[in-house]
Amino acid sequence: MRRLTSKDLKELNLLKNYRIIRKWACKTSDLNDADLELLIYLDAIDHFTKQDFKQGTYSYSWDNRRWNRLLKQGWITVWRERNRTTQKYHIYKVSYKCKQLISRMYRIMLGEEDMPLRKLESNNKYSFKVTAKAISFVNRDKTRTNAI
C-alpha cells in the first residue's frame, strides 16, 4: 500500500475549499464551527469516552453545554452503557447522521458531489447570500479532483 505524502494531499486540493464546505455544513446542520470540527475529531477516534471528548475540546472555545447539546441533538450516541461492575463508564460514538455529514463533506472536497444551495437560497440574510455565492464558485471549480 502506498503511503500518502504532503505533495499528494496538495495535488488533491483537499483544503482549498475547506472553509466554504465547513460553513455550508454548519449552516445546513445548525452546528457551529467548533462543534463540527470536534465531531470530525471524534469520528476519527471511532469509540470514545467523555474524557476523550474533554481532551478534544481543549483547542476550542469554552462551551459548558456542548456535550449535552450534541447528545440531545443526536450527533453523539451511546455505544455501550456502563453497568457499574465491569464497565465503569459509557462508551460513545458519533451517530449515523454525523457520519453521513462528514462523509458528504469529504465527497464535496474530492469533487464527487456538489453542495446544494436549497436551504441557503431561501434565506434572506446577507451572510447566507454571500455563502451561497461562494458555494456556486466552488461547485463550478473544475480543479476539484476525485483521483489519487
Side-chain angles (χ1 to χ4, degrees):
M1 184 168 161
R2 184 174 162 241
R3 185 177 168 99
L4 285 176
T5 64
S6 59
K7 185 178 179 181
D8 295 332
L9 291 176
K10 183 183 180 324
E11 288 173 3
L12 285 173
N13 292 325
L14 282 181
L15 299 177
K16 178 180 177 184
N17 298 309
Y18 172 73
R19 182 173 171 81
I20 300 300
I21 295 167
R22 187 189 70 211
K23 284 180 125 188
W24 166 82
C26 289
K27 287 181 187 286
T28 57
S29 303
D30 295 324
L31 291 169
N32 60 38
D33 293 338
D35 291 349
L36 179 64
E37 290 184 4
L38 183 61
L39 288 170
I40 292 170
Y41 165 77
L42 294 173
D43 183 47
I45 292 176
D46 200 25
H47 295 96
F48 56 92
T49 62
K50 193 166 181 182
Q51 186 61 36
D52 295 328
F53 175 85
K54 288 178 183 176
Q55 289 174 353
T57 60
Y58 284 133
S59 61
Y60 302 108
S61 60
W62 174 252
D63 184 357
N64 198 22
R65 295 181 177 99
R66 180 176 284 137
W67 174 261
N68 290 331
R69 185 179 63 248
L70 292 176
L71 204 56
K72 185 179 177 183
Q73 292 176 351
W75 295 103
I76 296 173
T77 58
V78 177
W79 182 72
R80 187 192 74 193
E81 301 260 342
R82 73 182 189 134
N83 66 6
R84 293 191 167 98
T85 56
T86 56
Q87 286 90 24
K88 304 258 187 245
Y89 44 84
H90 290 314
I91 295 181
Y92 301 91
K93 65 178 185 171
V94 294
S95 67
Y96 178 75
K97 84 173 179 179
C98 181
K99 286 188 178 292
Q100 290 299 310
L101 176 66
I102 293 169
S103 295
R104 192 170 194 191
M105 288 176 62
Y106 289 146
R107 286 193 305 270
I108 291 168
M109 281 184 208
L110 291 171
E112 297 173 359
E113 186 177 330
D114 287 339
M115 286 180 275
L117 291 170
R118 278 184 309 242
K119 192 171 183 180
L120 295 176
E121 286 177 342
S122 63
N123 199 315
N124 221 5
K125 289 184 181 176
Y126 176 75
S127 63
F128 281 86
K129 288 180 180 179
V130 171
T131 305
K133 185 72 169 173
I135 288 172
S136 66
F137 287 134
V138 171
N139 287 343
R140 283 187 272 156
D141 184 11
K142 299 304 176 199
T143 61
R144 291 187 301 154
T145 62
N146 54 4
I148 291 182

